[in-house]
Amino acid sequence: MRVKSSAVSHSVFLDRAKRPSSVLAKVVGRIILAGILAVSALSTAALANPKYAGIVVDAKTGKVLYGDSADELRYPASLTKMMTLYLTFEALEAGRISKSTPVPFSKNAASEPPSKLGVRAGQSITVEQAILSLVTRSANDSATALGELLGGSEQRFARMMTNKARALGMTRTTYRNANGLPNSEQLTTARDQARLGLALRQHFPQYYDYFSTRSFRFGKQTIGNHNRLLGNVRGVDGIKTGYTRASGFNLVTSAQLDGRSIVAVVMGGTSGGARDAQMRKLVAKYMPEASRRGSGNLIAQTPAAPVTVAETAPQASDRAATELPHTGPVPDFRYSGEAEGSVEMAYAETKPASDNPILSGKIAPNTLDAQSAKLARQSATSREVDAQVTNSVAKSGAAAEAEVRAEATAVPQGWVIQIGATPDRAQAVTLLDNAKEKGGKLLRDATPFTVAFGDGSAQVYRARFGGFDDQGKAVNACKFLKKKGFACWASQQ
């Protein structure tokens, strides 16, 4: 599906022919070029790069500013590590691990092919070193080691990754490993990757700065970041590159400038340079079109506890449209022997179809949520599974609405900060008391409160302070609390 006719051509993904050196050759070249232009309208499909997919999303409103093959299945390659890091950040926030927790390298992890950190089996690094090695070198061995630490095994961690993808609304993404090394069943879409990029920014602002790391020291090595746009394109602050022969060159980019914010995805580049050139064009064209207004709270955060997911294969009618270039049919995505359960998807509060009273209220808004919701409704392979998805989404939406209402009545409007999430409310209150004691004058007028999220054994209590007049005061409070050893992030209520 193309959201908008691409004003930014992805012809940069085509290999350029070498320029002839002689005058005669130049003339011939111009004649050939004229002929190509004359028939270009009839040969677009032939000229297009079959692996290409791209999307640009306004990070404040969720509006899709540009899309090209955004819902067609692609291989994520090392974009996979974005989800590995999401689950790592989630474990850090919940207190299950710390930045100094040892990450042991099994024989399996140590034997992963490059790009890698090169840690020997039996040795270990810290969680923070593992994070830095993923965002810079894109280390496959570190990703596997993190997955084994958090999931107990690489296979179980892959299920956790897929479960989290479903919970975030990534309806067409399936993971089989923690690093993105080739696996024909590990698939995603440009839209899903944009959703994950937004979730990382929104849910973990206290850790998001890792993605802007230009280099870090490991032993005698100075490891640089693979993302060449950092420091070279105004406003770009991350996120992740990826490449395998099957996927082509991939890139998810976050950029913030002059009060505007976007997340853009480019997949299937023929080279790193071509991919980067396309991303530069997308950022330059669509950043000015992004809104300065909007909360940016687009994707509801879900409980950290893993949920059983029934993975379903695409319908037969979907296969032709989503078949990967140069591959066979899309494989079945079901884990053998795994019990079926409902698929939980979290969406932000529904946006109005239009602010313009002249337009019909029935017109679907052009937002990431709206389009993902539409895909979710089409993804079930049977009426039974479709009913499970519908009930789960309705339940998730009701829970989100109840949470919003509870916060609106209990907390002053404005900026809030969150310092942790625990499975016990008393622990959350104790955490707030400790932070209040150490926060001094910065928290003197702040209102401590807890927010229950989830239900049953998966319920957690978020420890927050509200009542900050502006973003600066909330951010300053977080900076101070971080120095005191607290995790902290700021958000507008």
Side-chain angles (χ1 to χ4, degrees), residues 96 137 140 433 473:
R96 295 199 300 271
R137 178 167 285 179
N140 294 319
D433 290 341
K473 291 182 179 179

Side-chain angles (χ1 to χ4, degrees), residues 317-337:
S317 60
D318 291 338
R319 288 184 182 269
T322 59
E323 188 170 310
L324 285 163
H326 313 302
T327 70
V330 177
D332 190 346
F333 296 155
R334 187 178 302 282
Y335 289 107
S336 58

